[in-house]
Amino acid sequence: MLLYWMEKLKRIKPVIVFHLVLNAIIVVFITGASYYHVPLEGLKDHAIYFLHLCALQSTVAGILYVLSLFKWTFRVVFSILFLSYCGFSFWAYSQDISITRSLIQGVMETKPDIAIDLITIPYFIFYLVAIAVLIFILNWHGRLNRRKGFRIFIVPAVALIIMFFVFERKQYGIFKFRLPYNVVVALDDYYEQPPFKLEQKIPPVHSGTDSLKVVFVLGETVRADHLGLNGYNRNTTPLLSQRKDIISYSNLFTSKTITATSLPQILTDQLLTDTIGSYTSLYSVVNDGGFKTTWIGNQTMEKSYLPIVETNRDIILVDKYKSVFSFDKELDGVMLKPIDSLLRLNDKQLITIHMIGSHWWYENRYEDRHRKFTPVIDSKYIPSLTKEQVINSYDNTVVYLDYFLNEIITRLEKERLPTFMIYVSDHGEILGEGGKWLHAQEDDALKNPGYILWFSESFRQWYPGKVTAIEQLKNSEITTDVIYPTLLDLLDLQVSEGK
Ligand SMILES: [Zn+2]
């Protein structure tokens, strides 16, 4: 009897060895990334997480076994999955990114020109090694007698797959928020979003003014607590701080932590309407109020807010084929020129400026003369940088913002007619909090963006009540859903009831 089993084991051994090695490779290249950044202390912690990883990988092993039974299906499906997953796991390893709907949205809606800039040398090497490993697996699989031991293995393999659902039922999220399952969950979330529709017909709009020139600046990735104006211990806003008429909010909060979700919230009545999935664009109302609307953007537009931008009368995109991740992207300063010519054209207009702002890679977001804090970042690979370098570079982008907003105000000050500038950032940035960086994740550092207003003398004289109301609120805790009604009120526009 013993001999019989030994003989049997000998025959199925190659299949066992293949699957052990295959699973070890998957742990190294994919699954392990979800555990790599878990802060662990002591033997007990490590043991618990090791068992967790083994349990999760066992469920994956079941799937891999079933897949491996079919030669060509395995070749094609496994290759596609393995290489796609390596794309996610690299970022999970190197930056501890969270794979959520937000990230999938970023991947799906990012244009190829932007994606190219994400390829760093470590990323490239990681992929080369992954390809070599893939070829090794495929060769081995080709030589293997795949069906050997089928009757022994198939039942446990299916049982392992079922184990995933049993565990998930017992404790929701025990496996599904980790690699490889989180990608599937995130994809599902992404496609499940209710379709976003813009209201075409809006109630009559009443405008209380014939002359008002407004510059509305949509910032990018600027944290309120890194503004000198808000009491940050570094004077990142030397020019604006010298002005006595700046109103800066330190307690504006947002729940939207990426541009793609934040802009639709700021630029529509999303949070004020009862009709889910059908919103009114700010610009539709402003157009009906007789304003000329122009969008000047320094970012490649994303699917989520493109329809809103298109409700502007005019759209000017500077450097339109390069976006936030580009390395030789135009500075925001190039948008000052179109502002100059536009201001001369119309007495009643709203100009929106969409900045690239303080988006990573920070060093390409400001001029040398704004490099107030050093040493700065010198590598794209975040784990190789010090916290000080990252924050210095980030703060230099804020110094540039100070210059940029001051330039806009200087232009508006020359206007005879009432004018104002309103600046709001779409979200903040994680600067090392909890060992994390950048945005598109979940962290409080992302939820308190900068919000700055400036009113001209003539505006203050025409609308003293509006300015006082803005001043009184500046220390209150408010959320970004106030921006839409605030802007309409400052533009002296009333929308009839009964949407
Ligand atoms: Zn953004």
Side-chain angles (χ1 to χ4, degrees):
M1 191 68 184
L2 186 69
L3 265 173
Y4 168 79
W5 279 107
M6 276 179 63
E7 191 56 35
K8 194 149 189 110
L9 188 69
K10 210 169 143 190
R11 278 193 288 129
I12 57 173
K13 197 177 148 196
V15 179
I16 296 174
V17 174
F18 172 77
H19 279 281
L20 284 175
V21 174
L22 177 66
N23 279 282
I25 287 170
I26 300 301
V27 167
V28 171
F29 279 87
I30 300 164
T31 329
S34 284
Y35 294 83
Y36 186 67
H37 291 279
V38 179
L40 299 175
E41 250 183 77
L43 195 67
K44 200 178 146 206
D45 277 16
H46 283 88
I48 289 170
Y49 270 88
F50 179 70
L51 287 177
H52 191 288
L53 169 65
C54 290
L56 183 141
Q57 188 59 38
S58 304
T59 65
V60 178
I63 301 169
L64 288 172
Y65 179 75
V66 175
L67 195 62
S68 75
L69 295 171
F70 312 95
K71 186 178 177 186
W72 282 100
T73 313
F74 182 82
R75 286 198 166 176
V76 176
V77 177
F78 181 78
S79 302
I80 295 172
L81 288 178
F82 184 70
L83 293 178
S84 313
Y85 269 107
C86 284
F88 288 107
S89 65
F90 175 82
W91 300 105
Y93 267 126
S94 65
Q95 285 181 37
D96 195 17
I97 56 153
S98 326
I99 297 159
T100 58
R101 187 189 56 73
S102 305
L103 185 81
I104 295 294
Q105 185 160 12
V107 173
M108 296 296 199
E109 298 177 16
T110 296
K111 308 229 162 59
D113 57 307
I114 304 160
I116 282 169
D117 284 319
L118 280 170
I119 300 167
T120 58
I121 292 170
Y123 196 32
F124 187 69
I125 294 170
F126 183 78
Y127 249 112
L128 277 186
V129 177
I131 290 167
V133 167
L134 175 65
I135 293 168
F136 165 76
I137 295 171
L138 294 183
N139 267 328
W140 189 355
H141 181 256
R143 293 194 311 270
L144 192 73
N145 189 349
R146 300 180 302 277
R147 303 283 174 108
K148 211 108 220 131
F150 172 77
R151 271 185 297 177
I152 298 172
F153 293 126
I154 189 67
V155 175
V158 173
L160 286 173
I161 298 173
I162 294 169
M163 192 174 94
F164 171 85
F165 299 98
V166 174
F167 270 75
E168 271 300 321
R169 215 188 149 88
K170 250 186 120 188
Q171 193 187 330
Y172 177 80
I174 185 166
F175 293 147
K176 68 193 248 179
F177 297 128
R178 290 176 189 275
L179 278 162
Y181 300 113
N182 54 5
V183 176
V184 182
V185 172
L187 273 166
D188 188 46
D189 274 4
Y190 174 72
Y191 285 108
E192 235 184 34
Q193 282 184 98
F196 172 94
K197 208 174 114 267
L198 279 185
E199 202 71 68
Q200 297 302 321
K201 273 212 284 204
I202 54 167
V205 179
H206 175 261
S207 167
T209 178
D210 287 333
S211 43
L212 180 55
K213 297 182 185 184
V214 177
V215 176
F216 174 26
V217 186
L218 285 165
E220 176 64 64
T221 318
V222 172
R223 291 166 62 140
D225 64 344
H226 276 247
L227 294 170
L229 282 169
N230 292 341
Y232 181 42
N233 59 21
R234 285 173 153 182
N235 191 7
T236 48
T237 52
L239 300 168
L240 295 181
S241 295
Q242 270 175 19
R243 293 180 174 272
K244 296 284 164 272
D245 48 4
I246 297 288
I247 305 167
S248 179
Y249 280 60
S250 47
N251 291 317
L252 176 80
F253 293 93
T254 180
S255 59
K256 311 290 181 189
T257 54
I258 57 167
T259 317
T261 53
S262 171
L263 290 198
Q265 192 213 30
I266 294 171
L267 300 174
T268 66
D269 62 348
Q270 205 177 107
L271 278 147
L272 309 168
T273 181
D274 299 328
T275 333
I276 293 165
S278 180
Y279 313 126
T280 302
S281 161
L282 171 81
Y283 302 107
S284 302
V285 180
V286 178
N287 287 335
D288 280 13
F291 280 81
K292 172 155 183 341
T293 47
T294 311
W295 177 279
I296 308 174
N298 193 18
Q299 285 201 33
T300 335
M301 284 194 276
E302 294 179 54
K303 200 169 80 187
S304 76
Y305 59 88
L306 180 67
I308 307 166
V309 175
E310 284 174 339
T311 53
N312 277 268
R313 295 255 190 253
D314 273 318
I315 301 169
I316 303 167
L317 290 183
V318 296
D319 211 13
K320 65 176 157 190
Y321 297 113
K322 290 189 200 127
S323 185
V324 287
F325 299 109
S326 295
F327 277 67
D328 53 353
K329 174 111 195 75
E330 289 281 11
L331 289 170
D332 284 323
V334 295
M335 292 189 285
L336 293 169
K337 221 174 175 167
I339 299 178
D340 284 337
S341 40
L342 280 168
L343 283 174
R344 282 197 296 271
L345 290 177
N346 263 289
D347 283 352
K348 190 171 171 181
Q349 59 173 318
L350 172 66
I351 304 169
T352 304
I353 306 289
H354 186 206
M355 302 178 71
I356 194 157
S358 301
H359 201 287
W360 177 258
W361 161 266
Y362 310 137
E363 281 306 294
N364 279 32
R365 307 294 177 232
Y366 63 89
E367 292 171 48
D368 290 344
R369 63 191 166 112
H370 303 108
R371 192 170 288 109
K372 197 171 166 178
F373 308 105
T374 53
V376 294
I377 51 174
D378 50 12
S379 164
K380 267 162 96 177
Y381 186 58
I382 296 183
S384 74
L385 302 167
T386 66
K387 185 170 178 166
E388 186 197 5
Q389 279 177 296
V390 179
I391 292 176
N392 284 341
S393 286
Y394 180 82
D395 285 347
N396 291 334
T397 67
V398 181
V399 175
Y400 184 79
L401 171 72
D402 173 67
Y403 150 80
F404 184 70
L405 295 183
N406 190 61
E407 284 295 307
I408 292 174
I409 295 171
T410 308
R411 282 159 170 80
L412 293 179
E413 271 175 332
K414 292 180 189 145
E415 292 295 325
R416 188 179 37 86
L417 300 172
T419 66
F420 68 87
M421 182 206 74
I422 175 167
Y423 166 88
V424 66
S425 177
D426 58 348
H427 49 75
E429 182 84 317
I430 313 177
L431 295 169
E433 281 88 356
K436 294 188 175 197
W437 305 92
L438 314 187
H439 57 273
Q441 307 177 56
E442 275 303 308
D443 195 282
D444 286 346
L446 297 168
K447 297 179 178 169
N448 179 207
Y451 182 34
I452 300 165
L453 297 103
W454 172 88
F455 300 98
S456 73
E457 260 323 302
S458 52
F459 187 91
R460 286 171 182 267
Q461 278 162 19
W462 278 46
Y463 300 108
K466 292 187 193 297
V467 179
T468 311
I470 292 286
E471 266 166 352
Q472 278 171 347
L473 270 177
K474 79 171 191 180
N475 292 318
S476 316
E477 283 197 13
I478 52 166
T479 56
T480 39
D481 43 306
V482 303
I483 310 267
Y484 180 90
T486 300
L487 244 168
L488 292 186
D489 178 57
L490 291 173
L491 290 165
D492 205 356
L493 294 171
Q494 281 98 40
V495 184
S496 316
E497 289 294 318
K499 183 194 157 180

